[in-house]
Amino acid sequence: MKKTSNIQKIHIKKGDTVKAISGNDKGKPASEVLVVYPKTYRALVKGYNLVTKHVKPTQQKPDGEIIKKEAPIHISNLMLVVGGTPTKVGRKADAEGKLKRYAKKTGEFID
């Protein structure tokens, strides 16, 4: 029996500009995707889903510190921004027959 993976095609990639459509970050300005985790269907977005992390004291920082850093956010809560407007993403063949992403709102190819 062949083992099949249930990893879905992801509509965003590293470097894309996205906007949160739900959750605590809804309404924030669009931001850049730093990392995409396909197995967990999550992405790390600059300035979104900030968590507080307490760092233990070290010799360099004897008092320790409290830092804010991004945590992964589920991809279903993100929408790609093309030309300043959020849009759904589809896939269709270009002139050479290669499957590419395109913005459903404007019809233009992405990348």
Side-chain angles (χ1 to χ4, degrees), residues 11-105:
H11 64 276
I12 60 171
K13 291 182 179 179
K14 178 182 174 181
D16 283 347
T17 303
V18 295
K19 188 173 178 80
I21 56 172
S22 65
N24 293 339
D25 298 309
K26 182 178 179 179
K28 280 189 178 178
S31 190
E32 180 186 355
V33 176
L34 303 173
V35 182
V36 176
Y37 303 105
K39 286 186 179 177
T40 56
Y41 208 60
R42 292 179 170 270
L44 203 65
V45 182
K46 189 175 187 178
Y48 280 19
N49 198 21
L50 293 175
V51 294
T52 304
K53 182 171 170 57
H54 296 259
V55 181
K56 280 186 161 188
T58 62
Q59 286 184 341
Q60 287 81 21
K61 297 182 180 178
D63 294 335
E65 63 181 325
I66 299 173
I67 58 172
K68 291 214 178 253
K69 61 185 282 186
E70 295 95 358
I73 186 169
H74 201 268
I75 288 179
S76 66
N77 295 332
L78 301 174
M79 189 172 242
L80 187 69
V81 175
V82 178
T85 58
T87 179
K88 290 182 178 180
V89 178
R91 295 177 191 277
K92 67 179 173 182
D94 62 356
E96 301 159 1
K98 189 173 180 183
L99 206 61
K100 287 194 167 185
R101 300 183 303 160
Y102 77 99
K104 287 192 174 185
K105 199 170 255 187

